Amino acid sequence: MPLNRRLLRFFGPYLHYVVMLLVMLLLLSASRAGLFIWQYDRVVAAGDIATMLLQGIRADLILAGLWLSLPLLLAPLLAHQASFTLWRYFSHGWVLLGLCLVIFIEVSTPQFILQYDIRPNRLYIEYLKYPKEVFSTLWQGYRAMLLGGIAITLLLLWLLHRLFSKVTAVVQPYATRTFWCSWPVILLLVFAAIRSSTEHRPANPALFAITSDALVNSLIISSPYSVLYALYSLRHEARSSEIYGTLPDDEMLALALDWPWLKQLSFLNKTLPTLNYRQASVTRSKPLNLVIILQESLGATFVESLGGVAVTPELEQLKSSGWWFEQMYATGTRSVRGIEAVVSGFMPTPAQSVVKLSLAQQNFYTLGSTLAQRGYHTSFIYGGEAHFDNMRSFFTGNGIKQVIDLAQMPAPVFVGSWGASDEDLFTATARHLADMHQQQLPFFSLVFTSSNHTPFEFPDGRISLHEQPKQTVNNAVKYADYALGQFIAHARQQPYWQDTLFLIVADHDNRVYGSNLVPVEKFHIPALILGADLMPRHIKPVASQIDLAPTLLSLMGISGQTPLTGRDFSKDDSSPGRALMQFDQYFALMEQQQLTILRPGQPAVSARYNLLQKQLVLSEQAPTAQQVKRTLAQVLLPSYLYRQQQYHLADQP
C-alpha cells in the first residue's frame, strides 16, 4: 500500500488537525526564533536558548491542544459517514481560522514589543474595543507595517487554503469500531497537551517565566497563547490579586494599613475598612481650587533633572516654583492606571484599572466625591473622545459633574489621531476655569493631555524640533511641554491663580521596557505641585501616585473622611517612602531602594534598585515570609475593597 494511503487511513478524520499541528508548531517556532535573533543580547543574557526554545514548543502544544479541543468534542457527532461532508468543510474552516489568528497576532508582535517591551497581552485585547483610535494611530504612524502585516497574513492564508483544500479532498472517515477505540486515546493526548503538567495545577504562562527578564519570559510562549490566556483571566478580575496567594482578611487589612503615616489615624468603620479622618495641614478660610494636569506618557526619561533627555525646558523652569517630587513612581503602565491612582488614590492590581471595571462605575471614591460634596464644580477635560477607556462613565458616575471633550471644543486648531492638540485642550481649559471663577464657583478640573501619544502628531511651527523626522516621541514631548508652559504662564496672570493649586504629573512613561524583572526606571515620573501660596520645596523620598490625593486635599485646606491610604507629604516630607508598581503579572513593593516582587505561580524575589545606574539587582537571598506577606497585603487590599464595594465615603451606599 502506498505511503500516502497508509497515512490517510492512519489519521482518518483527523488529518486536517495533524497537518494544522505541524504547521502551527513550524510557524510559532520560526516566529520565536526570529524574535530571539532580534533580541539576541537580552535572550543570551537571560538563560540557555535551547531550554527556552524547547519550553516554547511545550507552550505551543498547549495552544494547539486548546484549538483542537472543540473539533475533538464534536467528532462523535460529525466525524462519521453520514455527516462526513460537513466534517470535512468544518475542519477546513476551523484550521484556517486558527492559523489565521496565529499568523496575524504573531505578525503584529514586533510592533507591540517595540511599544510595550512584552508580547501581546491583555492590552492587545483592550485596544480592540476602540477600532477608530487604534486604526487611525496605525494608519498615521505605522502604515507600512500595517499593510505589510495584512499582506503577509493574506499570502500565508492563501497558501494554507490551497494546502488544506488538498487535505479536504482526500480525508476519509474511520470505521466505526476504529473511531470509538481511537477517540478516547486522542482525547486523552490532547488533554495532556493542554494541561502540560502532572502537578496540582495545569501549566500557565507563569510556568514559562524562567528568567529575570520579563520580555524574554514572554518570548518563550507564543503571542496567541498570551492573548488567549489574557482573555481567560478576565473572568477572574475581581479576585485577580489572589494569583500571588491569599491571607485572612483581618491579617491582610492589618498589614496593608501598617504604614507610619496611617498609625495615628482611626479606622473605625468595619464596613469601610480604609475610611479615615485626616486633618488638613493648612488652615484656610476658603479652601483652594484644584487643577490636575495629567500628562500623557511623560516619564522621567524625558526630564533632564531626573536623568532624562532635555526636551522639557518649561517643566524644568516650573519645578523651582513649587513642590518637586524627585522620586515619584507610577503604579502602572496605562493611562487608566494613572487615573485611578492620581484621582482615586487607589492601589494597583493585576486586573484592569477600576476605571473600566463594572463595580466601580458608581459609588467609587474619587477626589470629585469629596469636592462635589463641598460645592465644587468638578470637570474632566480631554482633547479626544471621553468614552475611550470608559473614562466618561467612570467620571460621571463618581463625582465629576461635567465632561468636556473634543465634541465640546469649538473650532480646534489641530486635530490628530487622538483628538485636539494640547494647545487646544489648554485653550478650552483656560476658558472653562475663567468661567468658573466669574461665576464664583470653587472648581476641580482633571485635564488629560494626549499630544504625546503615538503617532506623535502636533501642529507645525510651535517648537524648534529636537530631532528629525518631526513625528518622534522626543519632539512630541517637547511640544507637549511647550503647550504646558504656555498654559501655566497664562494661568499665572489670572485672578484665580492665587486661589488654585495645580498638579502636573504623568500617567506613566512612554514605553515601559528593559531587561529588569520590573523596569523600575520606567515607572519613574515627574510630579510638581504649584500655585496659590505654595513655597518651593524638593521632596526627596520615594513616593507613589497614590500619595498625591491626600497631599493635595491637605494643602487645599480640606479636612474630612476619605478612604485614601496614601501619604500626606505636607505633614512629613523627609522620612522613608514606598512605591507600588504593577508590571504585567508582576507586583512590586519598593521601600526606598529595596523591592519585594511577587510573581504568579512562583516564589517572590528580593531586589535592590540602584537609582543612579537605573539597574535592578536581584538578591540571591529570598525575601522573608513577613516581607512577602506585607507585599501580598498591598495587592490584596485593593481587590478586596473593589470586590466588597467598600471604597467610598460613609454617606454613599
Side-chain angles (χ1 to χ4, degrees), residues 53-117:
L53 288 172
L54 287 173
Q55 287 295 320
I57 294 173
R58 178 183 175 186
D60 296 342
L61 287 171
I62 297 175
L63 174 67
L66 289 168
W67 198 256
L68 288 171
S69 58
L70 177 62
L72 189 58
L73 292 173
L74 291 176
L77 299 176
L78 300 178
H80 47 77
Q81 194 69 50
S83 57
F84 203 75
T85 300
L86 178 59
W87 173 256
R88 280 194 182 103
Y89 289 109
F90 167 77
S91 298
H92 183 94
W94 186 251
V95 298
L96 283 183
L97 176 62
L99 291 171
C100 177
L101 291 173
V102 164
I103 294 166
F104 182 79
I105 298 174
E106 284 293 326
V107 166
S108 63
T109 292
Q111 186 56 51
F112 193 92
I113 290 174
L114 284 173
Q115 183 65 31
Y116 297 105
D117 205 47

Side-chain angles (χ1 to χ4, degrees), residues 238-294:
R239 296 184 178 272
S240 62
S241 294
E242 294 178 5
I243 62 174
Y244 305 120
T246 60
L247 289 172
D249 291 346
D250 290 346
E251 184 180 9
M252 177 271 293
L253 289 168
L255 288 170
L257 301 177
D258 184 27
W259 294 106
W261 53 89
L262 299 178
K263 285 188 181 296
Q264 312 229 341
L265 303 177
S266 297
F267 299 90
L268 301 176
N269 191 327
K270 290 187 178 180
T271 61
L272 298 172
T274 65
L275 193 70
N276 62 88
Y277 178 89
R278 300 200 195 198
Q279 181 67 39
S281 61
V282 182
T283 302
R284 300 183 185 276
S285 58
K286 179 185 175 184
L288 298 177
N289 304 311
L290 176 61
V291 177
I292 296 178
I293 301 170
L294 194 63

Side-chain angles (χ1 to χ4, degrees), residues 58 62 191-204 207:
R58 178 183 175 186
I62 297 175
F191 173 78
I194 295 172
R195 205 171 194 286
S196 193
S197 173
T198 58
E199 301 296 325
H200 177 64
R201 293 181 180 277
N204 60 50
L207 180 70

